Structures are given as structure tokens and as C-alpha cells.
Amino acid sequence: TQVNIAVVKYEQQDYKSAENFATESLRLATELKLNSKIVECRRLLAKIYETNKDYKNALIQIKLLEEIELKLTGEKVKIFSEITRIDRQMAETEKQLEQSNQRRKIAELRYENQQRFQVILAVAAAFILISGFFWFYRRSSRLEINRQKKVNQELLELDQLKDRILTNTSHELRTP
């Protein structure tokens, strides 16, 4: 507020009051370490001294202003370098996270492929087992059919033999 009052006093060409308010504002800004307000106060004081043709004090204020601005620039550079370092770390962390996600997806795909392979393997095993059972059943059925045919053939032969015996016996009984 005092800086604003000093500016208004300067614009009203009340240079003495403007100088007093600016000096008091500078003292408060220095105590509170408000660098932007210190710069503003020193710039205003330099204008006031220059307007009053007190070039020596104006030059002192400009030099102090330059020192503060140089200090602020150094601090800004430090801050920017720290921000840049943090940005690089974040980019690296994001890259690592992305790689980790890719590795996780690859692992998931491998797991899914392994499960599919196991399902295919189980289906193939079941098919082989069923095919083996079917082959064994057909083979057993064929053997049983062949055995039944042999038995039927033998029974037919026995039936024919029986008929011959009956025919011979009947003939012998009729013609002794």
C-alpha cells in the first residue's frame, strides 16, 4: 500500500512525500524479503532522485537495483535449473513407468498365450484319448463280430451235420 501511495505522490509531483513513503516501503520490503517490492521501491526512488536532479543518489539506487536484479536473475536461473532437473527426472520416471507397463502387458500376453497353449494341449490330449478309445472300441467290435461270425459259421456247420445225421438216421430207420 505504501508503495502505491509513493507512486501516487510521485505522480502528483509531491516528491518529498513520495521519497518518504518509498523509503519506508523499501525498509518494510527489505525486512519482509519481498524482492519484487524492493525492486519497485528502488526504481521509484531512482526516478524521484533523478527528477530532483540528485544524480548521485539516483545512481546509487540504480546500482543497488542492478545488484538486486542480478541476484534475482541468479536465483531465477537456479530455480529454472532445478525445474529443468525435476522435469528430466519426471520424464525419466514416466519413461520407466511406460516401460514397466509395456513389460507388464508383455507378461500378460505371454500368460494368455500360455493359457491358450494349455487349453489347446488339453483339447489335443482329449482328442487323442477319445480317438484311441474309439479305435480300441472299433477294433474290439470288429474282433467280436468276427468271433460271432465264426461261431455262427460253426453253428451252421453243426446244424448241417445235425441235418445229415437226422436224414441218415431217418433213412436207416425206414430202410433197415
Side-chain angles (χ1 to χ4, degrees):
T1 303
Q2 287 194 353
V3 173
N4 291 336
I5 293 172
V7 169
V8 169
K9 293 289 185 182
Y10 176 77
E11 290 171 355
Q12 292 174 348
Q13 297 178 352
D14 184 2
Y15 302 122
K16 190 65 180 164
S17 294
E19 182 182 350
N20 289 337
F21 278 107
T23 306
E24 181 60 22
S25 299
L26 179 62
R27 185 188 66 76
L28 288 172
T30 305
E31 282 179 19
L32 297 174
K33 297 180 182 179
L34 302 172
N35 292 330
S36 61
K37 292 298 178 185
I38 292 172
V39 168
E40 197 175 333
C41 291
R42 292 222 183 269
R43 193 169 280 134
L44 182 60
L45 283 171
K47 281 184 187 178
I48 293 169
Y49 291 138
E50 191 176 328
T51 305
N52 289 335
K53 298 183 182 183
D54 185 0
Y55 297 113
K56 182 181 176 184
N57 281 331
L59 185 62
I60 291 171
Q61 291 301 321
I62 290 172
K63 283 184 180 180
L64 291 172
L65 177 64
E66 287 175 354
E67 286 176 14
I68 292 171
E69 286 178 337
L70 186 63
K71 178 183 171 187
L72 289 176
T73 304
E75 289 175 5
K76 286 179 184 177
V77 168
K78 286 180 186 176
I79 290 170
F80 285 135
S81 67
E82 184 66 20
I83 289 171
T84 304
R85 185 184 64 77
I86 291 170
D87 282 345
R88 278 192 214 126
Q89 284 178 342
M90 285 180 56
E92 187 176 310
T93 303
E94 287 173 353
K95 185 178 177 182
Q96 289 174 349
L97 179 63
E98 186 177 322
Q99 288 174 348
S100 175
N101 284 337
Q102 287 175 349
R103 284 192 298 268
R104 182 184 51 82
K105 286 179 183 179
I106 289 170
E108 286 175 357
L109 290 174
R110 284 183 181 160
Y111 179 71
E112 287 176 13
N113 285 340
Q114 186 179 12
Q115 283 183 327
R116 286 181 188 148
F117 179 74
Q118 288 175 350
V119 167
I120 290 170
L121 191 62
V123 168
F127 178 74
I128 290 171
L129 185 66
I130 290 171
S131 296
F133 178 74
F134 183 69
W135 175 81
F136 180 76
Y137 175 75
R138 284 197 57 190
R139 184 172 164 263
S140 298
S141 295
R142 266 192 246 135
L143 289 175
E144 182 64 25
I145 289 171
N146 287 339
R147 192 183 67 74
Q148 288 292 332
K149 282 182 183 179
K150 279 184 183 179
V151 168
N152 283 345
Q153 187 68 28
E154 289 175 3
L155 285 175
L156 283 174
E157 288 174 7
L158 284 175
D159 191 41
Q160 287 174 357
L161 182 65
K162 176 195 69 134
D163 284 345
R164 273 187 290 169
I165 290 175
L166 281 176
T167 306
N168 284 340
T169 307
S170 164
H171 177 68
E172 289 292 328
L173 284 175
R174 277 186 258 152
T175 56

